[in-house]
Amino acid sequence: FSSGGSWNEGCALKRWTVLELGSGLGLPSCCASKYGMNIVATDTDKEVLKLLEENLIRNQVGNNLRDSISRQSNSQRYEDSKEDQIRDEKQKIIVRSLDWVAAADDPNAEFNQPVFSSLVSLGGADLILLSDVVYGATQPAWEALLTLLNKFRDQRQKLCQSKTDVIERVRFDGSITPVGDPLALLGYTQRRRDMSPRDEAVFFKLLYDAGMEAVLIPPRRIPNGEKYMLTTLFELRWI
């Protein structure tokens, strides 16, 4: 990444939009925002959303390009008492409530779910981050999560049809990302007390059934990865 929020290799010089699913406290979003990316960070818990927003505000750097943090709930459960603005001309940081199951089951999610509207205004999700979202408690929603990934991909492909500056990206292994596909990264930490090998196999089978595969990114391709990485990083690719 460059400090201005664009992707340096094989992509048009534009500010990337990062969508984080199951953000929690939003560490990946915080890191991406420091590199100038547009951020759409999501979670479903009302209290978590408040902490997520506070964390994104607190972790901004003074010379970062920022516009505003905006908040909105899918079902009006998350009511804003005030609007916290972070001014700038270009970068946008948005926090949205997103219930995976409700959004996946909604045939008109593109029109009814605020996160989709936010992404439309930013040209769709260029990069989707899923950090430690696969564990026992989320298992009932795994299929919904994968359905959502396909919906976000479909949205970006539609938006890219009207663009002339969309360029194929070269992946870490030298292959080419199809035009219109977002780059999706999954960080997975093994939890033997919570996830058995059979459970892990179930998730990756569901992933394949949803039209995707998980490609391991070698630690040597990640800065300091061989020394410090406790989480396995996969690129999720549509097949």
Side-chain angles (χ1 to χ4, degrees):
F1 293 113
S2 74
S3 59
S6 62
W7 190 263
N8 281 335
E9 295 184 11
C11 221
L13 292 178
K14 63 178 289 288
R15 184 175 299 280
W16 270 46
T17 294
V18 174
L19 169 66
E20 186 178 6
L21 301 177
S23 300
L25 294 180
L27 178 59
S29 288
C30 288
C31 293
S33 72
K34 287 179 180 288
Y35 278 91
M37 309 291 155
N38 291 322
I39 304 297
V40 180
T42 67
D43 211 293
T44 187
D45 184 88
K46 178 178 178 180
E47 295 303 316
V48 170
L49 286 167
K50 292 179 180 178
L51 293 172
L52 172 59
E53 178 184 305
E54 292 173 5
N55 209 25
L56 283 166
I57 294 172
R58 185 173 299 173
N59 282 278
Q60 295 305 305
V61 292
N63 62 353
N64 201 12
L65 297 176
R66 296 168 292 173
D67 209 341
S68 65
I69 282 190
S70 57
R71 302 166 294 179
Q72 185 175 347
S73 170
N74 290 351
S75 58
Q76 302 304 316
R77 291 174 299 173
Y78 179 47
E79 297 294 338
D80 294 333
S81 60
K82 58 187 176 64
E83 189 70 17
D84 294 309
Q85 298 291 333
I86 297 180
R87 301 289 184 183
D88 185 80
E89 296 179 353
K90 297 181 180 179
Q91 188 189 26
K92 290 187 178 295
I93 301 174
I94 301 170
V95 174
R96 289 284 183 258
S97 175
L98 178 64
D99 182 304
W100 297 348
V101 175
D105 290 343
D106 185 352
N108 297 309
E110 187 174 349
F111 306 102
N112 296 334
Q113 303 292 329
V115 64
F116 283 91
S117 299
S118 298
L119 289 169
V120 166
S121 68
L122 298 172
D126 298 300
L127 172 62
I128 302 175
L129 298 178
L130 305 97
S131 178
D132 227 6
V133 297
V134 179
Y135 53 94
T138 64
Q139 188 165 359
W142 286 351
E143 288 187 73
L145 171 62
L146 299 174
T147 297
L148 271 181
L149 287 178
N150 279 317
K151 287 189 176 187
F152 289 125
R153 180 207 189 196
D154 290 344
Q155 181 192 48
R156 187 174 190 274
Q157 287 185 329
K158 291 177 183 177
L159 292 170
C160 286
Q161 289 176 359
S162 61
K163 296 180 180 179
T164 58
D165 61 347
V166 179
I167 300 176
E168 296 174 331
R169 297 186 300 273
V170 179
R171 295 171 169 143
F172 72 91
D173 61 1
S175 62
I176 301 298
T177 302
V179 172
D181 279 6
L183 177 64
L185 298 179
L186 168 69
Y188 174 66
T189 303
Q190 291 183 329
R191 303 165 182 258
R192 288 307 183 202
R193 295 181 181 179
D194 183 69
M195 288 273 292
S196 69
R198 180 174 295 180
D199 291 331
E200 294 173 355
V202 168
F203 173 77
F204 288 104
K205 174 64 164 55
L206 288 173
L207 183 75
Y208 183 81
D209 291 343
M212 288 170 274
E213 62 177 349
V215 179
L216 177 66
I217 299 178
R220 68 178 183 277
R221 302 303 301 268
I222 304 168
N224 298 314
E226 294 178 305
K227 186 176 182 180
Y228 298 112
M229 286 287 290
L230 299 177
T231 297
T232 303
L233 187 61
F234 295 93
E235 180 186 343
L236 304 184
R237 299 179 180 178
W238 281 270
I239 53 179

